[in-house]
Amino acid sequence: MTTIQAEIIENTIAFVKETLKNAEGGHDWFHIQRVYNNAKLIAEGENADDFIVALGALLHDIADSKFHNGDETIGPKTAEDFLNSQQVSSEVIEHVIKIIENISFKGGNVNREFSSLELDIVQDADRLDALGAIGIARTFNYGGYKGRGLYNPEIKPNLNMSKEEYKASSAPTLNHFYEKLLLLKDRMNTQTGKEIAEKRHEFMEIYLEQFYKEWNGEA
Ligand code: NI
């Protein structure tokens, strides 16, 4: 990375910290920092553009639609306005915007409309933060934020939700494990991503086993 690029990354970090200072606990600066670190780790084994990976990871949740009344344009727009204030070429800006537009798991069977190695890396990095111990913590935190129950044996997970149903779902948090989290390990793009996802997936299965035991009054 060039000195100018490193400076732009520093500016981006400052911008993201400031913008997300009141964010929900699972989508705050520390989520971004973990995704950024995951992305750097995954990128080590890939021949990707590190600058685009870094900007994509840092800006991917700058204005998540689920905290902006479902508006999917505000994130890309916020990132674009910021990048236009920096010395970033329009080519790089376009690529970063595509990453932000295409990274998220929308539920249902929605296909990605854009492909690049840099998107693959940032998407894997973000998905890893939805798995394992942190993934579990983030999921329950978000469920609490939305006023959802922990678990209700009478409400079964719905694996065939449309994008709209997925967004509007008020089902208990545990259903989210079956509707999203446990599906992620088979959707990873990169080899490094797959390997880490596998480990975190196993941890979640053990967690769920223990959860049901305790729920049912067993030790
Ligand atoms: Ni994210």
Side-chain angles (χ1 to χ4, degrees), residues 135-208:
I136 293 168
R138 292 180 69 220
T139 304
F140 282 104
N141 196 68
Y142 186 68
Y145 173 85
K146 297 289 270 186
R148 293 176 184 161
L150 302 178
Y151 174 52
N152 183 340
E154 282 167 17
I155 304 175
K156 300 289 173 214
N158 179 356
L159 293 174
N160 291 304
M161 281 187 283
S162 68
K163 182 173 153 181
E164 286 68 33
E165 286 173 315
Y166 179 77
K167 283 184 166 178
S169 171
S170 62
T173 296
L174 216 74
N175 290 19
H176 192 64
F177 283 75
Y178 301 94
E179 291 159 357
K180 173 180 170 182
L181 308 185
L182 295 171
L183 308 178
L184 290 177
K185 82 165 169 54
D186 292 326
R187 298 190 176 199
M188 301 302 285
N189 306 305
T190 66
Q191 193 51 39
T192 309
K194 279 181 193 147
E195 286 165 17
I196 304 173
E198 202 71 54
K199 279 196 226 162
R200 296 188 182 187
H201 182 93
E202 273 172 38
F203 180 81
M204 289 196 298
E205 299 223 305
I206 294 167
Y207 173 82
L208 287 170

Side-chain angles (χ1 to χ4, degrees), residues 27 31-32 35 60-61 64 103 126 138:
H27 294 83
H31 163 62
I32 306 303
V35 172
H60 84 276
D61 274 336
D64 191 312
I103 187 175
D126 191 36
R138 292 180 69 220

